[in-house]
Amino acid sequence: MSTYKVRATKTTTGMQVAAGTRGFEINFDEPGSTNTGMNPVEILLASFGACQSITATALAQKRHFDLQAFWVDVEGDLGREDIDGESLRKFTEIRYQAHVRSDESDEDIKQFLADVAKKCPVENTLMHGTTFKPIGFIRE
């Protein structure tokens, strides 16, 4: 098992938040604020698409699968859903379409994409959920 850590820090301008790990940083924002970055739900969709692409590339290399190009278009509907008697704001549906440039057969591509879906950790997390454990707070 691998553990990943990210720190998200509220900045002083608008709704901007910076999140970072391993020396890298992503800036988040909202369209109604300063609009200087994607908002968290857009980054969630982007993370899913990126994970699909990375998984596809690694799997193709491992299997010697002819993958000349790969990208994913992702969209989602953000709305409300009743869960345990509470109306929660969440993605109610996420749709994606893979674009594949390959000389492999259509059947082999379909099987490859099914295997990518099974091996993509972000898709597995979104499809099958995870446990969230708040561990308290630190007064600064």
Side-chain angles (χ1 to χ4, degrees):
M1 178 185 304
S2 300
T3 299
Y4 292 83
K5 287 185 165 190
V6 174
R7 174 170 284 177
T9 306
K10 166 77 178 88
T11 65
T12 57
T13 308
M15 304 273 265
Q16 293 176 333
V17 172
T21 187
R22 298 185 300 114
F24 300 102
E25 190 169 275
I26 298 174
N27 293 308
F28 296 74
D29 201 4
E30 289 289 331
S33 180
T34 59
N35 198 29
T36 55
M38 290 188 279
N39 68 31
V41 295
E42 291 165 332
I43 289 178
L44 179 89
L45 295 179
S47 293
F48 168 73
C51 191
Q52 287 276 307
S53 295
I54 290 168
T55 302
T57 300
L59 191 59
Q61 289 173 350
K62 181 178 179 181
R63 293 186 180 175
H64 305 290
F65 183 89
D66 175 51
L67 187 64
Q68 300 161 24
F70 185 91
W71 66 94
V72 182
D73 292 328
V74 184
E75 65 182 19
D77 299 326
L78 192 63
R80 294 205 170 269
E81 190 170 299
D82 287 334
I83 299 174
D84 296 330
E86 192 173 349
S87 178
L88 301 177
R89 191 154 164 77
K90 64 185 279 297
F91 276 115
T92 56
E93 184 174 273
I94 295 174
R95 295 170 297 282
Y96 67 100
Q97 184 171 42
H99 296 256
V100 179
R101 186 177 308 132
S102 175
D103 289 331
E104 303 282 352
S105 71
D106 285 356
E107 278 305 310
D108 286 344
I109 291 172
K110 286 178 188 175
Q111 182 60 56
F112 176 75
L113 292 174
D115 292 344
V116 168
K118 284 186 224 170
K119 294 183 179 301
C120 175
V122 174
E123 181 166 353
N124 288 333
T125 300
L126 294 171
M127 287 289 294
H128 304 290
T130 193
T131 302
F132 282 84
K133 294 184 178 182
I135 54 174
F137 68 92
I138 297 172
R139 184 181 299 272
E140 300 282 346

